[in-house]
Amino acid sequence: MRGWIKWVVGLFAVLVVLLGLAVFALSQWAGSAHFRDRAQQMASSALGVPVTLGRIEIAVLPSLAVALHQVRIGTKPPLTLEQIDATPVWSSLIAGKPMLDALVVRKAVLPQQGIMAVATAAQKHQPPTKQATPPGDPPPLPRRIVLDDVTWVDASGQKLTVNAEVRFEGDLLPQNAKIDIVGGR
């Protein structure tokens, strides 16, 4: 009986080590220049405007997440985001229907003209679709969206900086929202 327990403990230890090595290898690959260049190309292609990324990280603790640093979307004026953290619902990835648990945007400047330019470019970049086909369901919203020091610049140049947290419970309408205006009108 004791030999059997030793085998189970040993097998468990080997699985933990292999999982740790896999996470380490994934984080090294995601942090590579090749991966960053490919992500920039894919984002630029999807949006129809140039996108540059400072670096990409995969965080393991406190929970698995992907972080994009120094994101710059090349509109005039540019959209700049110091950091975007995305925490997926891992069970949804396994099921093949990816869903975000949390989306955190830190220290962003979002000029209205830049957002309009991205929307226009994305519409022009979409492949033509048949008119008879109804549009698909919109992608599901994250369960939680956090805005930390995010500045909106309207068409007249007025700035509004907010810290906000919005929680969703499966509906398009928020279940709980807290918004603090920390700068601007």
Side-chain angles (χ1 to χ4, degrees):
M1 186 74 150
R2 288 184 179 216
W4 180 78
I5 292 174
K6 287 181 184 179
W7 274 101
V8 170
V9 169
L11 182 62
F12 181 73
V14 167
L15 288 175
V16 168
V17 168
L18 287 175
L19 181 63
L21 288 173
V23 169
F24 176 75
L26 180 64
S27 88
Q28 292 301 310
W29 176 60
S32 71
H34 174 71
F35 185 83
R36 184 187 69 236
D37 291 344
R38 185 174 168 111
Q40 286 177 158
Q41 288 174 347
M42 290 175 70
S44 297
S45 175
L47 294 178
V49 293
V51 175
T52 57
L53 303 172
R55 71 180 196 274
I56 301 172
E57 290 180 337
I58 294 183
V60 178
L61 295 173
S63 65
L64 292 173
V66 176
L68 304 175
H69 298 272
Q70 290 90 34
V71 178
R72 182 179 172 90
I73 301 172
T75 57
K76 300 225 187 281
L79 304 173
T80 57
L81 303 97
E82 186 173 303
Q83 184 172 336
I84 302 170
D85 298 330
T87 306
V89 176
W90 291 102
S91 60
S92 72
L93 293 178
I94 294 168
K97 296 181 180 184
M99 221 171 82
L100 285 178
D101 183 45
L103 181 68
V104 180
V105 177
R106 300 179 196 284
K107 298 192 186 306
V109 177
L110 308 173
Q112 181 177 353
Q113 293 95 336
I115 292 173
M116 296 303 292
V118 167
T120 302
Q123 277 185 334
K124 288 180 184 176
H125 233 68
Q126 286 181 347
T129 58
K130 298 177 184 175
Q131 294 293 338
T133 347
D137 291 335
L141 290 170
R143 293 180 187 166
R144 184 171 70 106
I145 298 174
V146 177
L147 305 177
D148 180 20
D149 198 23
V150 173
T151 301
W152 165 269
V153 183
D154 69 15
S156 64
Q158 297 287 324
K159 294 181 180 181
L160 176 67
T161 303
V162 299
N163 291 334
E165 181 172 352
V166 181
R167 291 185 181 272
F168 296 91
E169 295 295 329
D171 296 332
L172 292 177
L173 298 175
Q175 296 297 315
N176 188 345
K178 178 183 176 190
I179 301 171
D180 293 323
I181 298 174
V182 294
R185 54 184 175 183

